[in-house]
């Protein structure tokens, strides 16, 4: 473990945040997960107990190591409590620039001066967030992939202000979490994986909207012909159709290119509240009950 990092705070207990926090706890860090909703924290704890319980049954982790991790994992609704002693903070809230900037401004005031502030944003470059802080050299992207407990990759992204030390420490934190980290030396919206995935998804949605094939058949072709483990529409359901929608909105805000606006079929599903697995229905119907991711 890096000598400089002992305490990690994760802000946001949603589908990404609670799993990132568990990775930190499993990595030996004292970890606090903060969310404004107590119900979200309870749901996060129950989800982790369920998921890690399956790990124990499969022999992926011992019961002793799991209990040790839960001993290191703390839950709170109070931001001050979460970050006042943190050495490293990972933001995992909604994919909206304004919300992230507002949070980072608070974090900059509340966290120790030495603390690194990382964003788990899947598309937004950290310089757009760092400019509201007095520590842009200690801000970076730390993009985990969904679901973090399964996906072994983290994109660490430097801006022109991010220090080498910040990048090195972030890479080491990833390694301590048993995740493969890849360092991007300069910023680009969407980074690497999501730019490639976004191009594929955009083409798939276009082909569907233009009536060339059903979304089911497009998914089938991607799996059978391209050997993808999951098709683009099923993947949208897994990660959340609203996430894709917010990503498109953010990209359009940056480029003002109408081609970057959310597709009509995506906007329709977001307005209908059919967001994928987490709502029980998206492109596919997962039944009346909420599907646990």
């Amino acid at each position: 473990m890096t000598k400089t990092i002992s305490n990690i705070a994760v802000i946001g207990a949603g589908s990404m945040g609670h799993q990132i926090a568990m990775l930190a706890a499993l990595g030996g860090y004292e970890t606090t997960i903060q969310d404004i909703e107590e119900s979200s924290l309870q749901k996060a704890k129950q989800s982790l107990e369920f998921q890690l319980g399956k790990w124990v049954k499969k022999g992926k982790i011992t019961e002793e190591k799991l209990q040790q991790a839960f001993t290191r994992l703390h839950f709170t609704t109070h931001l001050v409590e979460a970050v006042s002693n943190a050495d490293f903070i990972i933001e995992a809230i909604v994919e909206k620039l304004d919300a992230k900037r507002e949070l980072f401004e608070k974090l900059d005031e509340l966290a120790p001066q030495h603390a690194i502030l990382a964003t788990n944003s899947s598309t937004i470059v950290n310089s757009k967030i760092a400019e509201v802080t007095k520590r842009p050299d200690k801000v970076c992207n730390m993009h985990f992939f969904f679901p973090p407990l399964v996906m072994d990759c983290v994109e660490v992204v430097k801006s022109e202000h991010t220090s080498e030390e910040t990048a090195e420490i972030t890479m080491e934190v990833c390694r301590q979490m048993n995740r493969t980290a890849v360092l991007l030396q300069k910023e680009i919206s969407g980074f690497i994986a999501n730019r490639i995935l976004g191009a594929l998804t955009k083409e798939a949605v276009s082909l569907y909207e233009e009536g060339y094939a059903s979304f089911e058949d497009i998914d089938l072709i991607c799996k059978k012909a391209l050997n993808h483990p999951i098709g683009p529409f099923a993947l949208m359901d897994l990660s959340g159709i609203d996430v894709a929608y917010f990503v498109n909105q953010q990209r359009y805000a940056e480029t003002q290119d109408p081609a970057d606006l959310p597709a009509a079929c995506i906007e329709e599903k977001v307005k209908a509240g059919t967001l994928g697995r987490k709502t029980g229905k998206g492109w596919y119907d997962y039944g009346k009950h909420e599907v646990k991711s």
Side-chain angles (χ1 to χ4, degrees):
M1 188 185 300
T2 54
K3 294 180 181 179
T4 51
I5 306 299
S6 299
N7 297 289
I8 289 181
V10 178
I11 312 303
S15 57
M16 296 294 290
H18 74 285
Q19 293 197 16
I20 294 170
M22 177 50 80
L23 286 175
L26 288 168
Y29 296 109
E30 286 294 323
T31 307
T32 301
I33 181 167
Q34 186 272 340
D35 197 284
I36 57 175
E37 298 288 345
E38 179 66 36
S39 59
S40 296
L41 293 172
Q42 291 298 323
K43 184 178 177 182
K45 187 175 182 181
Q46 291 169 4
S47 177
L48 289 172
E49 288 171 344
F50 174 75
Q51 292 173 76
L52 275 297
K54 290 196 294 185
W55 280 21
V56 172
K57 290 178 181 177
K58 292 178 180 178
K60 293 177 66 176
I61 188 174
T62 65
E63 181 67 36
E64 182 184 8
K65 285 189 176 180
L66 176 57
Q67 291 310 314
Q68 288 173 350
F70 269 112
T71 299
R72 289 189 288 266
L73 188 59
H74 315 283
F75 300 80
T76 183
T77 56
H78 302 290
L79 190 62
V80 175
E81 182 182 339
V83 306
S84 58
N85 293 314
D87 304 307
F88 198 100
I89 301 170
I90 305 169
E91 167 270 312
I93 65 169
V94 66
E95 191 71 355
K96 292 184 177 180
L97 178 58
D98 289 347
K100 293 181 188 295
R101 284 167 63 93
E102 182 180 346
L103 174 61
F104 269 67
E105 197 166 10
K106 292 178 183 176
L107 294 177
D108 192 43
E109 294 174 2
L110 298 173
Q113 289 188 350
H114 71 273
I116 289 172
L117 309 180
T119 172
N120 180 54
S121 173
S122 57
T123 56
I124 302 170
V125 293
N126 70 79
S127 61
K128 291 183 176 294
I129 305 169
E131 62 188 18
V132 302
T133 76
K134 298 181 180 69
R135 61 180 94 186
D137 61 311
K138 297 184 184 300
V139 179
C140 67
N141 289 90
M142 190 183 190
H143 175 220
F144 291 79
F145 291 85
F146 183 80
L149 284 170
V150 176
M151 298 297 286
D152 177 27
C153 188
V154 181
E155 291 175 319
V156 176
V157 188
K158 291 171 57 182
S159 75
E160 60 181 10
H161 302 295
T162 306
S163 70
E164 289 292 339
E165 181 185 35
T166 294
E168 289 170 10
I169 290 173
T170 305
M171 294 287 283
E172 179 55 32
V173 169
C174 291
R175 286 189 283 269
Q176 192 66 31
M177 289 182 176
N178 196 29
R179 286 296 170 267
T180 300
V182 181
L183 180 62
L184 278 65
Q185 294 290 345
K186 59 181 183 178
E187 298 181 314
I188 184 168
S189 177
F191 322 132
I192 303 299
N194 278 342
R195 288 186 72 87
I196 295 170
L197 179 62
L200 177 99
T201 303
K202 184 176 182 179
E203 184 64 20
V205 169
S206 176
L207 290 167
Y208 164 73
E209 286 197 325
E210 291 175 21
Y212 289 105
S214 67
F215 67 84
E216 296 99 332
D217 283 346
I218 293 172
D219 273 0
L220 185 61
I221 290 169
C222 287
K223 289 192 292 182
K224 297 296 185 180
L226 304 180
N227 204 27
H228 291 186
I230 187 172
F233 293 93
L235 183 57
M236 276 188 271
D237 277 358
L238 182 63
S239 58
I241 295 172
D242 53 332
V243 174
Y245 178 77
F246 291 141
V247 166
N248 285 138
Q249 282 192 319
Q250 179 60 39
R251 183 71 60 84
Y252 174 71
E254 293 177 13
T255 66
Q256 295 298 303
D257 183 351
D260 288 328
L261 281 167
C265 61
I266 301 294
E267 186 167 6
E268 181 182 317
K269 290 192 178 297
V270 170
K271 288 182 177 178
T274 51
L275 308 178
R277 286 178 176 263
K278 61 186 174 185
T279 59
K281 187 177 182 182
W283 290 102
Y284 296 89
D285 193 336
Y286 301 91
K288 295 181 180 178
H289 301 290
E290 184 175 328
V291 178
K292 291 184 178 180
S293 55

